[in-house]
Structures are given as structure tokens and as C-alpha cells.
Amino acid sequence: MEEKKINAVSGYVYVLIALVCFGLAALFISYGSVVGALLFVVAGFILKGIVVIYPNEGMAATFFGDYVGTIKETGLRWVNPLYSKTKISLRARNLNGQTLKVNDKMGNPVEIAAVVVWQVKDTSKALFDVDNYVNFVQIQSEAAVRKLANSYPYDHMEDETSNVTLRDSTGQINVFLEQELNERLERAGVDILEARVSHLAYASEIAGAMLQRQQASAMIAARRLIVEGAVGMVEMALERLEKNGVIALDEERKAAMVSNLLVVLCGEKSVSPVVNAGTLYN
């Protein structure tokens, strides 16, 4: 079913006609004429077709079960009084999804939630293709978030070969979520304006272990950087000493110097130096 647009005429003229009919009906009834009763019925029939449509609001009209069309013109309007009319909001709405506990691609339990901004774009699909379009949006949004979490690992620690992860690829994850929601909600005539992951964390039962793992990985990476820098500084020191002819060291003294420099540069705490008052060999 596709949305059809129908134009409704201005209601002000019909309100005026109804008021004139009421006035004439009162006049004829005062004279005891049957015409007054007929005019009263006509005026009521005209007023039944008067509707008020607010901005960003639509009204779907049906005629004995057949969909006629949707009126989106705002203001005071008049339509066929025999039409059954159902108003529907076209404003943007927020869906703050609840936090779900699901497994990521690697099977680790994670907590994830999303915020979705949506609006109705096809009133006929929203009213007639699904039973309750608001409830439909909520359920399908939850299903899309679950599928998203199952499709990607939490981070690169779990899958180093993955190009997209839930934590490190936020922009791409939001795009995938928006595409998935648009596909699922197409039949309900709903358009997704924005979809973003609002909460992402490991589940409580593994959060402590994963935090220790992340800290260990960060410490190893920091140590690797420190060692690489220290080795470079030692190489530079030995090269400068030999180049400038400051001192000539045999292999044993070079090894001792390298060891001492690495201890100083790679140590976690400040080193207390020991002053050699003798020679290099004593």
C-alpha cells in the first residue's frame, strides 16, 4: 500500500454555511416548519466534515474500509463527512533503547544500547501495513542492535584481523545500524533520521578480567616503546663517543656501559648513581 495525497478544501466557508443553516433552522422551527429540522440535520452533517490539522500532522481517510488518501494540509479543513479519519503524527521522535546484554562476534557478553531518531514518512504503511507502528519500531530497533553486536567484535584485542569493531569504529557502526533499521522499518513507512550507539561496555561478569587484559596490553605497549627508545639512545651515545674520539672502550666496557644505560633508561624508579673514584678497570 502506497500513500496517496488528497486535497481538502478550506473549512471556514463550510463553518459559515453551517452557521447560516443553524440560524435558518431556528427561524423555521419557530414557525413550526419541518424545513427547520432538515436544515438542522444538514448543518450537523456539514460540521462533521470539519477537521483541524496541525503542522507536521497527517490525517488518513477511509471510506467504508477503503483507503482514500492522506491529508497533510494544515489548518481548518473540510472533507467528506462520511470518511473515517485517523490522525497520525509526522514529527521526529526519539527512541532511547534499553541496555541489552548480547554476545559479540567472538562470543563475549557485552552491554549495548542505541538512540534512534525516527519519523513517519508513509502514513498508509504505518497505519495499515503493521498493527502498531510505534511498538514495531521499538521491537525492530532492539533486533537490529542485537544483530549489530553479533556481527562485530568488541575491539581489536578479540579479533586483530577485523577492520571494524564496536568500540573503535563508532562512525561505521552507526552507519551500519542506520542502514539495518531503514531496511527493517521500510514496511512500516518509517524513516530513520539518526541512529547512534549510546552505551557500550563489557558485561559485569567479565568486565574486571577484560580491564586487566587491557591494562596489561597497554603496559606491554608502553614497555616496548621505552625499550625501543632506550636502545636508540644507547646506540647514539656509543656512536657519538667513537666518532668524537672522547674515549676508547673495549667490548667488555661497552657491554657494561650498555647495561648501565638500559637500567637507567628503562627503570620504573629513579636510579641512585654510584661514583667510580678509580679507573675504568678498578
Side-chain angles (χ1 to χ4, degrees), residues 244-258:
N244 296 334
V246 176
I247 188 172
L249 299 174
D250 56 20
E251 295 301 323
E252 181 180 353
R253 296 304 170 183
K254 285 183 180 180
M257 180 179 178
V258 170

Side-chain angles (χ1 to χ4, degrees), residues 7-26:
N7 296 321
V9 297
S10 175
Y12 295 100
V13 176
Y14 286 89
V15 170
L16 180 60
I17 293 174
L19 292 177
V20 171
C21 289
F22 277 126
L24 292 176

Side-chain angles (χ1 to χ4, degrees), residues 45-110:
F45 185 77
I46 293 175
L47 288 179
K48 187 181 178 185
I50 298 295
V51 294
V52 178
I53 302 177
Y54 297 97
N56 287 323
E57 186 179 65
M59 192 193 72
T62 58
F63 185 69
F64 294 105
D66 291 331
Y67 172 64
V68 178
T70 301
I71 304 169
K72 294 184 178 179
E73 298 171 324
T74 59
L76 188 67
R77 297 291 167 181
W78 186 88
V79 295
N80 189 334
L82 297 178
Y83 286 168
S84 296
K85 300 173 283 291
T86 304
K87 288 188 176 182
I88 181 172
S89 175
L90 303 178
R91 300 179 181 92
R93 310 187 195 186
N94 276 322
L95 173 61
N96 189 12
Q98 62 179 348
T99 301
L100 307 174
K101 182 184 290 187
V102 297
N103 293 333
D104 67 356
K105 183 180 178 181
M106 308 306 295
N108 297 315
V110 299

Side-chain angles (χ1 to χ4, degrees), residues 152 157 199 213 278:
Y152 302 98
M157 291 176 57
H199 173 78
R213 181 177 177 181

Side-chain angles (χ1 to χ4, degrees), residues 1-4 60 62 67 69-70 72 88 90 118-134 136-137 182-191:
M1 182 175 293
E2 297 293 335
E3 181 182 89
K4 295 183 292 184
T62 58
Y67 172 64
T70 301
K72 294 184 178 179
I88 181 172
L90 303 178
W118 62 279
Q119 68 177 166
V120 175
K121 68 174 181 179
D122 192 313
T123 57
S124 63
K125 289 183 178 180
L127 291 174
F128 306 118
D129 283 4
V130 295
D131 186 48
N132 185 323
Y133 68 93
V134 176
F136 188 83
V137 170
N182 275 318
E183 293 177 2
R184 289 174 175 268
L185 299 176
E186 174 66 24
R187 69 174 60 188
V190 171
D191 184 32

